[in-house]
Amino acid sequence: MTLILGINAFHPDAAACLVCDGKLVAAVAEERLGSRIKHVAGFPREAVRCVLGMAGVKLQEVDYVAIGHDSNANLRAKARFVCRYPISTLGDVFSHLARRVRISRLEDELARACEVSPAACRFQVVSVEHHLAHIASAFFASPFERAAGFSYDGSGDFVTAMYAACEGNTIRVLRRVWFPDSLGFFYTGICQFIGFDRFGDEYKVMGLAAYGQPTYAELMRELLRCDHRGTFRLDRRYFSHTGARGFVSSGAENREIVLSPLYTPRFAELFGSPRQHNTEITARDKDLACSCQQRFEEAVLQCLDWLHRQVGGDTLVTAGGCALNGVCNARILRDTPFTRSYIQCAASDDGTAIGAALYVWNSVLGKPRSEPIEHAYWGPEHPESRMEAALKAQRLAYRKFDRAALLEEVSEHLCRGHVVGWYQGRSEWGPRALGNRSILAHPGWPGMKDLINHKIKRREPFRPFAPTILAEAVSDYFEQAVESPFMMHVVKIRPERRAALAAVCHQDATGRLHTVKRTQNPLYYDLIAAFARRTGVPVLLNTSFNENEPIVDTPEQAVDCFVRNDLDVLVLGPFVTAKPGKQLSESEQSHSAEAIGCKAEV
């Protein structure tokens, strides 16, 4: 048996996974555990302990530790850049050296986290270049024997994008785009300018783009230039590489990542003053979002046009933070020769943990590839006893149901317009709630979108929600018959279905599609099927189970979230509790349940 511990460390979205004989057995991001700060960097101490615990193994049994970062990668390109900008890169040089020292002490850090002696460990550390790990995370997890590979994000190991030809156990790098020319920085800089300045806020601008017009399209083409050779360049008069230090150093330990502005003061000459966080969103801001999104898509399509000319075929694997742009992902399938794609469930930097581990198994060790990763449920789960204790600790009245009765009970709540916190099984790996740590609701209930945004999620009113649909029904409700098990595609809803899906139909008549097969998540699939039997609609509104925090991990966190906001119902494994006035009466229940618990005090 060969055990490979994969980690993303000292970089945003710290995470860990465990691969056993080429098969993924556990994966979790550090943000879900410990300090519970979104996109936390530093060393993934709790994540390492968690994945080893889930697999029931000790650090002493691990054969390889694979990290999605290589301090020795691209040294010539780094040196050229430092020579060109010796003063402004001084901080980056120190950050690079500090990170290099920390990685050189990785064995000690792991041993300390697991409370063992370094001398007792036998593992070999293997460093895998950042974007190579990204592409490996997608290709080696995909069902494809051959594919074009494209990784793009802010930056990693001094590279902002990588093109590759993937076949069998081999990833052949065709081209790298060097820092600071970055599609990620282009998008993030404009996000910051229009007031979305928190690390990871890009998805908000993707949603806001639907409300605007591409008024600034020509200016965007000046700010980001592309050519037929698949290269792109930022106009550096308007983008600052010094603002990107948070991407390249990220030595933060258990604290929120804060980026300096990636745009320069010259931006104001083109667009006026930057919007301040939490102030009114104007028509200009919406148009900037729309223009930014449009130019981003154009650039990606040009990159992929070049890649297709080099590799051919119709299969594509993508990764990196930019690969989370669902609007662009759907357009790729419409407007490029790549008609089949695979995007791993943790496409952003946390996914480099899996990529590094699979790269070691497949490319370094030359072992046969395993079955593709078809679901996202690789995180921790907790026993029913802990769920029940969490309910009792808050003195909530609850009932316990068998499986069939549970589905009928919850589908009845959903049919009545109740908003349900749904907590089941193992947590999802990656940024999306995919039916195990989800808030669920009726997709066509009047006012449901505004209610959840305002009273439950407490976030911007323009933000959309995802439709989860039974996979076999996609073509009946959406204009693209896309399979999207990891919620990676934003697709047009058919005109005749938009009223039935009003709560998940965005301003531009799209929905961020999540498809589910029974083989991927039997309980969630059966819940949607039970709802469909009552309503005729095989779709549920699905959003992450949280409130301006990482997705809930423990039963206690789920109960706390339920108590402090306007969720109507909490389903914690087989247990159901409801707020006063939201309970179903005995006469309305067509099934039996055991009444247990304490007096409700909410």
Side-chain angles (χ1 to χ4, degrees), residues 220-233:
M220 293 295 168
R221 293 186 183 101
E222 294 297 319
L223 297 178
L224 174 64
R225 295 181 177 272
C226 305
D227 61 31
H228 66 280
R229 296 171 297 173
T231 60
F232 49 84
R233 290 186 64 83

Side-chain angles (χ1 to χ4, degrees), residues 33-230:
L33 314 170
S35 60
R36 287 184 53 78
I37 296 173
K38 282 189 173 184
H39 307 294
V40 68
F43 179 73
R45 178 180 184 275
E46 297 301 325
V48 167
R49 293 162 60 95
C50 184
V51 297
L52 293 174
M54 282 190 278
V57 301
K58 299 178 180 179
L59 183 64
Q60 301 94 304
E61 300 173 70
V62 171
D63 299 288
Y64 297 91
V65 172
I67 181 169
H69 165 75
D70 184 359
S71 298
N72 293 320
N74 310 310
L75 289 177
R76 289 184 180 178
K78 294 172 184 176
R80 286 195 300 268
F81 191 76
V82 170
C83 289
R84 186 175 181 183
Y85 302 102
I87 297 175
S88 63
T89 58
L90 190 60
D92 298 334
V93 171
F94 283 118
S95 295
H96 171 82
L97 293 174
R99 189 179 185 192
R100 192 182 186 97
V101 168
R102 293 203 69 180
I103 290 176
S104 71
R105 299 171 179 170
L106 191 59
E107 294 94 334
D108 292 338
E109 193 115 37
L110 284 163
R112 189 161 51 249
C114 297
E115 300 177 345
V116 300
S117 167
C121 300
R122 66 185 190 195
F123 58 78
Q124 175 184 342
V125 176
V126 181
S127 296
V128 181
E129 185 182 347
H130 178 86
H131 281 277
L132 187 58
H134 267 317
I135 292 177
S137 78
F139 179 60
F140 292 134
S142 79
F144 306 140
E145 178 62 22
R146 183 177 184 274
F150 186 52
S151 171
Y152 55 137
D153 60 13
S155 74
D157 287 333
F158 207 73
V159 172
T160 68
M162 179 180 284
Y163 305 77
C166 309
E167 186 168 3
N169 283 29
T170 303
I171 297 174
R172 179 167 58 91
V173 178
L174 302 176
R175 173 175 290 168
R176 294 172 175 85
V177 179
W178 304 116
F179 173 90
D181 292 310
S182 167
L183 295 175
F185 290 168
F186 166 77
Y187 206 100
T188 299
I190 295 170
C191 290
Q192 292 176 321
F193 187 80
I194 58 179
F196 297 99
D197 54 0
R198 305 287 176 83
F199 187 90
D201 269 359
E202 291 81 4
Y203 63 97
K204 297 181 181 181
V205 173
M206 185 180 71
L208 183 63
Y211 292 84
Q213 298 297 321
T215 306
Y216 304 104
E218 289 305 318
L219 280 173
M220 293 295 168
R221 293 186 183 101
E222 294 297 319
L223 297 178
L224 174 64
R225 295 181 177 272
C226 305
D227 61 31
H228 66 280
R229 296 171 297 173

Side-chain angles (χ1 to χ4, degrees), residues 105-427:
R105 299 171 179 170
L106 191 59
E107 294 94 334
D108 292 338
E109 193 115 37
L110 284 163
R112 189 161 51 249
C114 297
E115 300 177 345
V116 300
S117 167
C121 300
R122 66 185 190 195
F123 58 78
Q124 175 184 342
V125 176
V126 181
S127 296
V128 181
E129 185 182 347
H130 178 86
H131 281 277
L132 187 58
H134 267 317
I135 292 177
S137 78
F139 179 60
F140 292 134
S142 79
F144 306 140
E145 178 62 22
R146 183 177 184 274
F150 186 52
S151 171
Y152 55 137
D153 60 13
S155 74
D157 287 333
F158 207 73
V159 172
T160 68
M162 179 180 284
Y163 305 77
C166 309
E167 186 168 3
N169 283 29
T170 303
I171 297 174
R172 179 167 58 91
V173 178
L174 302 176
R175 173 175 290 168
R176 294 172 175 85
V177 179
W178 304 116
F179 173 90
D181 292 310
S182 167
L183 295 175
F185 290 168
F186 166 77
Y187 206 100
T188 299
I190 295 170
C191 290
Q192 292 176 321
F193 187 80
I194 58 179
F196 297 99
D197 54 0
R198 305 287 176 83
F199 187 90
D201 269 359
E202 291 81 4
Y203 63 97
K204 297 181 181 181
V205 173
M206 185 180 71
L208 183 63
Y211 292 84
Q213 298 297 321
T215 306
Y216 304 104
E218 289 305 318
L219 280 173
M220 293 295 168
R221 293 186 183 101
E222 294 297 319
L223 297 178
L224 174 64
R225 295 181 177 272
C226 305
D227 61 31
H228 66 280
R229 296 171 297 173
T231 60
F232 49 84
R233 290 186 64 83
L234 296 177
D235 187 330
R236 297 184 190 174
R237 294 174 299 173
Y238 297 94
F239 292 93
S240 170
H241 67 265
T242 58
R245 286 176 180 161
F247 285 89
V248 295
S249 60
S250 295
E253 200 63 82
N254 296 322
R255 63 180 176 86
E256 185 177 4
I257 296 170
V258 178
L259 290 180
S260 300
L262 292 172
Y263 61 88
T264 70
R266 294 190 68 164
F267 244 79
E269 297 175 11
L270 297 179
F271 306 115
S273 299
R275 171 180 169 262
Q276 299 303 306
H277 188 72
N278 286 334
T279 60
E280 180 186 1
I281 297 173
T282 66
R284 181 209 66 169
D285 303 323
K286 297 172 184 177
D287 289 350
L288 275 171
C290 179
S291 303
C292 171
Q293 175 67 31
Q294 182 183 89
R295 184 56 182 150
F296 175 82
E297 294 173 27
E298 292 172 350
V300 171
L301 263 58
Q302 285 186 266
C303 293
L304 295 181
D305 177 69
W306 180 86
L307 180 59
H308 186 264
R309 293 200 304 271
Q310 310 308 307
V311 179
D314 66 348
T315 52
L316 172 72
V317 296
T318 58
C322 291
L324 295 175
N325 192 301
V327 175
C328 187
N329 292 336
R331 187 172 176 187
I332 288 169
L333 295 178
R334 291 196 310 270
D335 295 345
T336 76
F338 296 116
T339 57
R340 296 187 295 156
S341 72
Y342 182 89
I343 309 167
Q344 196 248 128
C345 45
S348 49
D349 287 338
D350 45 355
T352 60
I354 282 181
L358 293 180
Y359 186 84
V360 169
W361 175 258
N362 289 284
S363 294
V364 176
L365 301 179
K367 298 291 187 179
R369 290 174 59 180
S370 299
E371 293 297 312
I373 296 176
E374 296 182 335
H375 68 79
Y377 312 108
W378 301 106
E381 63 180 330
H382 301 280
E384 289 182 13
S385 59
R386 183 168 175 179
M387 297 178 189
E388 189 169 15
L391 291 164
K392 288 181 175 179
Q394 292 283 359
R395 299 189 59 79
L396 296 173
Y398 60 92
R399 300 170 70 88
K400 183 177 182 180
F401 295 86
D402 62 32
R403 190 182 191 280
L406 181 74
L407 296 174
E408 294 305 313
E409 173 83 1
V410 178
S411 62
E412 176 64 22
H413 277 292
L414 292 165
C415 287
R416 291 170 177 267
H418 297 169
V419 183
V420 175
W422 177 257
Y423 181 103
Q424 303 290 334
R426 296 181 69 172
S427 65

